[in-house]
């Protein structure tokens, strides 16, 4: 049984995927120096998984990044961002940038901006993927002139 | 002064920790949410000493000074709202421990409950237009989802209507914020108040027009009210208690109050608009509540009517008007939360809230009957319950401002309120029914209602004389707002 | 000035879609258009003629940068507002799937059960 799109789409998306993910990670890490940041980088990463979803069908993608794993990762991203803010309490004020600022135009030059970008990227990437996969799970099927609604329980676990 | 931000942090932490660890275990997530909300209440109580000693606490997030960074501020006015909010939320959470048993995936309920609470706390502490918008949206989106939590057919439809109208309201507020930014180049409220004192232009009328219509949509004042009865009557009962008792007041009424009395002080005429809207929604809500077949719908229309009283008092202004607005907010929050929790307790046993199917609760659920009676008498303005004191102050304020017609209408609407609540009482509680055997609800459902009921029964007599000094400080904030002085340094 | 008129037209097109159309999906699209109109309004507020992106690159003078660059604050605000729009639309999509499950239709005329 051949699920998903045609062989051309599958091959091309297989070749493109690693580059897209690396580009997304670079957008996240250099968010404080170049255009981009946690949100655009996260969207790029989740778009890559959506590309795989379209090309191969959701069973293959959920093997790579299961719903359980992405659920945990997006909550972890939120807690990471909150803890970046809470670290500021060590200096006395919420969200205080207590890290060493480093040299301008190098990767380590924004203090806690790097950590907040990473956590936002984690949160946005996984939760956007989660939203699209969950929306795609509900499907409506016409069966003997009757509309039926399917939502696979085993997919969610 | 790190205590000022602790309610927001605690509720956000509660939301994400429950979502990460305990959402599969419903009891555990409920207890975690309850303990975080009690911690938040403790932190707010500890904050009170500093607020009333220093007049206000200003906090710079990340150490950035005023035009650049986000500023947080708590003064006597926002402290009273903060205290009422954080006092009622743990009680509602306690109530939901048993109530939410019949729903599947109740863990998500506590996640959304924590998010809505974090948003409401955040609105009360922030002093930055865009920050207020972000917190408003956090709590609004959580409330859209909570209305549809039961996934019954009507709930989905009510949530759809509520989401569309709520989005329009938020968009109007966002446009007003954009106009402020375009006009003055700042989003900080202190900075804006300082700049706007000296300019008196037609463009500012546009801004305040957008603000009034946006917040009137969130508060459900008369022409914008039509989403409220559906959303508030079909949501799960703890959610209705949050929405009706706290949400519309914090997101709508509190922000309207700040905008009208503190920030746009150069347009005292705008109070007349609020007075008119409040008067119409007061009359309309009470008339609509007379002819309802569902308990929760009656309560929802009664909310429109009572929020009209708050807006009316705000529009009349003066010392007594502001005092009446704040007191009516406090007592109506307690009473309406109590009544919605009560309808939840009835629904828990009878599985319905239709008036025709409920009979003779006096013998079967005596404590529920007693608490319901105290809440209803309070809202109708019967002495010595809470809302009597606030209503009499509103009437005094109307007389002092020579609005004799309005004072008369206030009394008439109060009598109509008593009328529909007496009708409910006679039909539901004090009637005879020998067929069904139904027991009183359990301890978890009963205790929050009893605590709220004792508070609204005694507050007018015992607490009000002692608390008047603090409420006077809040009224003082409404009469002359000196926050912009920190720009002069 | 012409961009603000265009934004106003776009806003009212979106409001028309939300208020008049009877199909839930068309309503969601109208809501999306309203959100984009407001975002565009914010971006237009920070616009400066012949401006450059507000990002410092090596070898740029600070004074020249401050004079030329557009205001970065509206762009940061728009990013937040995009996320809010996204979450509302995502929720509405899920809600409309549930409504389709119950009623078998996206038509508001058929699913109107509440009195209002």
């Amino acid at each position: 049984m051949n699920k998903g799109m045609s062989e051309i789409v599958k091959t091309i998306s297989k070749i493109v995927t690693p580059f897209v993910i690396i580009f997304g990670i670079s957008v996240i890490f250099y968010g404080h120096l170049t255009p981009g940041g946690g949100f655009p980088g996260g969207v790029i990463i989740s778009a890559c998984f959506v590309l795989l979803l379209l090309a191969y069908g959701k069973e293959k993608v959920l093997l790579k990044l299961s719903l359980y794993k992405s659920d945990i990762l997006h909550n972890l991203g939120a807690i990471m961002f909150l803890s970046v803010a809470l670290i500021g309490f060590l200096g006395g004020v919420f969200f205080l940038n207590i890290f060493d600022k480093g040299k301008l135009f190098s990767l380590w030059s924004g203090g806690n901006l790097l950590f907040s970008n990473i956590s936002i990227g984690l949160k946005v990437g996984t939760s956007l993927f989660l939203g699209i996969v969950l929306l795609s799970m509900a499907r409506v099927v016409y069966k003997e002139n009757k509309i039926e609604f399917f939502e696979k329980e085993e997919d969610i676990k | 002064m790190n205590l000022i931000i602790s309610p927001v942090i605690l509720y956000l932490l509660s939301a994400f920790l429950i979502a990460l660890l305990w959402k599969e275990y419903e009891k555990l997530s409920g207890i975690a949410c309850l303990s975080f909300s009690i911690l938040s209440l403790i932190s707010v109580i500890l904050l009170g000493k500093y607020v009333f000693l220093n007049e206000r606490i200003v906090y710079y997030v990340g150490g950035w000074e005023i035009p650049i960074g986000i500023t947080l501020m708590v003064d006597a006015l926002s402290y009273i709202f903060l205290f009422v909010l954080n006092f009622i939320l743990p009680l509602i959470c306690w109530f939901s421990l048993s109530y939410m048993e019949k729903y599947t995936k109740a863990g998500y309920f506590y996640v959304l409950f924590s998010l809505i609470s974090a948003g409401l706390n955040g609105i009360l502490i922030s002093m930055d237009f865009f920050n207020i918008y972000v917190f408003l949206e956090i709590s609004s989106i959580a409330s859209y989802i909570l209305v549809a939590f039961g996934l019954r057919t009507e709930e989905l439809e009510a949530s759809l209507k509520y989401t569309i109208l709520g989005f329009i309201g938020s968009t109007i507020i966002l446009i007003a914020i954009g106009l402020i930014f375009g006009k003055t180049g700042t989003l900080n409220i202190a900075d804006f108040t300082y700049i706007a004192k000296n300019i008196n232009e037609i463009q500012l009328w546009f801004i305040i027009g957008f603000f009034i219509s946006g917040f009137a949509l969130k508060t459900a004042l008369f022409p914008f009210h039509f989403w409220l009865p559906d959303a508030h009557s079909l949501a799960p009962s703890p959610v209705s208690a949050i929405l009706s008792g706290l949400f519309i007041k914090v997101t709508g009424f509190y922000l309207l109050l700040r905008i009208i009395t503190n920030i746009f002080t150069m347009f005292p005429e705008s109070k007349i608009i609020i007075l008119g809207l409040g008067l119409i929604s007061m009359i309309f809500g009470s008339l609509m509540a007379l002819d309802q077949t569902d308990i929760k719908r009656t309560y929802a229309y009664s909310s429109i009517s009572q929020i009209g009283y708050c807006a009316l008092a705000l529009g009349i202004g003066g010392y007594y008007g502001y005092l009446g607005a704040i007191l009516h907010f406090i007592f109506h929050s307690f009473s309406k939360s109590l009544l919605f929790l009560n309808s939840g307790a009835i629904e828990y046993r009878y599985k319905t809230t239709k008036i025709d199917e409920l009979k003779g609760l006096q013998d079967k659920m005596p404590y529920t009957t007693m608490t319901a009676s105290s809440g209803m008498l309070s809202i109708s303005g019967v002495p010595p319950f809470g809302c009597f004191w606030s209503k009499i102050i509103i009437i005094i304020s109307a007389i002092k401002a020579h609005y004799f017609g309005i004072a008369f209408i206030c009394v008439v609407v109060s009598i109509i309120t008593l009328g529909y609540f007496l009708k409910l009482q006679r039909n539901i509680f004090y009637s005879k029914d020998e067929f069904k055997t139904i027991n009183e609800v359990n301890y978890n459902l009963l205790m929050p209602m009893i605590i709220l009921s004792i508070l609204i029964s005694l507050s007018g007599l015992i607490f009000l004389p002692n608390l008047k000094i603090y409420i006077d400080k809040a009224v003082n904030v409404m009469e002359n707002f000196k926050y912009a002085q920190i720009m002069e340094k | 000035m012409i961009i603000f008129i265009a934004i106003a037209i776009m806003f009212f097109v979106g409001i028309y879609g939300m208020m008049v159309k009877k199909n839930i999906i068309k309503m969601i699209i109208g809501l999306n258009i309203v959100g984009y109109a407001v975002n565009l309004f914010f971006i237009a507020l920070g616009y400066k003629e012949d401006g450059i992106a507000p990002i410092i690159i090596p070898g740029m003078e600070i004074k020249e940068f401050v004079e030329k660059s557009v205001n970065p604050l509206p762009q940061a605000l728009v990013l937040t507002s995009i996320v809010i729009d996204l979450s509302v639309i995502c929720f509405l999509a899920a809600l409309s799937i549930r409504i389709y499950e119950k009623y078998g239709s996206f038509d508001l005329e058929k699913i109107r059960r509440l009195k209002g």
Side-chain angles (χ1 to χ4, degrees), chain B residues 140-442:
Chain B
S140 298
I141 291 170
S143 73
Y144 304 152
I145 303 170
L146 279 174
V147 168
F149 198 78
L151 291 178
R152 279 179 308 172
T153 324
E154 289 90 1
E155 287 171 14
L156 297 174
E157 201 185 325
S159 174
L160 179 71
K161 199 190 263 181
Y162 178 34
T163 311
I164 299 280
L165 288 164
F167 183 83
I168 292 176
S170 309
T171 309
I172 291 170
I173 294 166
L174 186 60
I175 291 172
I177 292 169
L179 287 172
I180 283 176
F181 184 74
K183 178 76 189 150
T184 60
T186 181
L187 286 171
N188 196 293
I189 287 181
D191 204 8
F192 176 77
T193 330
Y194 190 64
I195 296 169
K197 232 187 298 181
N198 305 321
I199 48 177
N200 190 352
E201 282 183 60
I202 197 79
Q203 282 143 314
L204 289 179
W205 263 113
F206 270 100
I207 297 171
I208 197 166
F210 276 117
F211 266 135
I212 287 177
S213 47
F215 288 127
L217 228 162
K218 290 274 176 196
T219 326
L221 288 177
F222 167 64
F224 310 108
H225 67 279
F226 38 86
W227 55 268
L228 187 140
D230 293 337
H232 287 203
S233 63
L234 290 166
S237 289
V239 180
S240 310
I242 301 175
L243 289 181
S244 220
L246 304 166
F247 185 84
I248 57 170
K249 298 191 179 77
V250 172
T251 58
F253 177 65
Y254 166 79
L255 291 173
L256 201 58
L257 187 156
R258 279 270 187 221
I259 300 271
I260 299 278
T261 63
N262 291 168
I263 298 166
F264 287 84
T265 43
M266 53 282 185
F267 299 125
E269 302 91 345
S270 56
K271 280 184 195 166
I272 303 294
I273 303 170
I274 298 299
L275 197 155
L277 291 180
L279 192 65
I280 299 170
S281 51
M282 197 171 93
I283 300 167
F284 174 82
S286 61
L287 288 178
M288 286 299 285
L290 278 172
D291 184 34
Q292 295 299 325
T293 54
D294 190 300
I295 307 177
K296 288 177 83 176
R297 271 186 99 82
T298 314
Y299 292 163
Y301 275 110
S302 158
S303 271
I304 297 176
S305 165
Q306 302 302 317
I307 202 78
Y309 268 101
C310 288
L312 179 84
L314 179 62
I316 291 171
Y319 172 79
Y320 285 99
Y322 293 144
L323 184 67
I326 292 179
L327 282 181
H328 201 68
F329 154 73
I330 297 171
F331 291 131
H332 183 248
S333 295
F334 283 116
S335 318
K336 196 44 70 71
S337 310
L338 167 66
L339 284 182
F340 269 113
L341 291 185
N342 216 302
S343 70
I346 294 170
E347 197 189 349
Y348 186 75
R349 281 285 183 250
Y350 277 84
K351 315 280 182 235
T352 180
T353 51
K354 289 265 179 291
I355 291 174
D356 299 337
E357 297 169 29
L358 301 168
K359 268 197 174 55
L361 263 70
Q362 186 198 7
D363 303 328
K364 287 158 191 160
M365 301 165 80
Y367 294 106
T368 311
T369 308
M370 258 152 58
T371 48
S373 304
S374 67
M376 286 172 179
L377 290 178
S378 160
I379 289 184
S380 344
V382 174
F385 296 102
C387 283
F388 167 73
W389 307 100
S390 53
K391 280 188 179 178
I392 199 119
I393 287 170
I394 292 171
I395 292 168
I396 289 172
S397 75
I399 291 172
K400 286 223 167 186
H402 299 285
Y403 294 125
F404 297 110
I406 289 175
F408 180 69
I409 292 173
C410 281
V411 177
V412 170
V413 169
S414 192
I415 292 167
I416 297 175
T417 311
L418 188 61
Y420 60 73
F421 278 140
L422 282 182
K423 184 190 138 204
L424 273 188
Q425 292 217 333
R426 198 196 62 206
N427 287 346
I428 296 172
F429 297 111
Y430 302 108
S431 54
K432 283 276 177 284
D433 178 36
E434 279 100 31
F435 302 112
K436 285 183 181 168
T437 49
I438 278 177
N439 298 324
E440 183 59 88
V441 287
N442 64 19

Side-chain angles (χ1 to χ4, degrees), chain C residues 3 10-11 19 32 41 46-47 51 53-54 58 61 69 72 84 86 90 114:
Chain C
I3 189 158
M10 194 172 157
F11 182 79
M19 288 293 143
N32 213 344
F41 172 61
Y47 176 73
E61 293 226 355
S69 71
I84 289 166
L86 176 85
C90 206
L114 296 172

Side-chain angles (χ1 to χ4, degrees), chain B residues 103-123:
Chain B
Y103 291 92
T104 52
K105 307 223 168 160
Y108 289 98
F109 170 81
Y110 296 107
V111 175
L112 294 166
F113 177 90
S114 307
L115 281 178
I116 199 171
S117 318
L120 294 179
N121 277 306
I123 289 169

Side-chain angles (χ1 to χ4, degrees), chain A residues 103-125:
Chain A
K103 211 166 129 273
L104 195 59
F105 303 123
S106 67
L107 178 60
W108 182 254
S109 66
N112 65 7
L113 282 182
L114 183 62
F115 299 118
S116 48
N117 269 335
I118 291 170
S119 54
I120 292 171
L122 201 63
K123 168 85 185 160
V124 171

Side-chain angles (χ1 to χ4, degrees), chain A residues 85 88 92-97 112, chain B residues 5 59-65 69-70:
Chain A
V93 186
F94 194 59
F95 261 113
L96 189 65
N97 197 341
N112 65 7
Chain B
I5 202 163
Y59 188 89
Y60 304 104
V61 175
W64 298 98
E65 291 293 319
I70 292 169

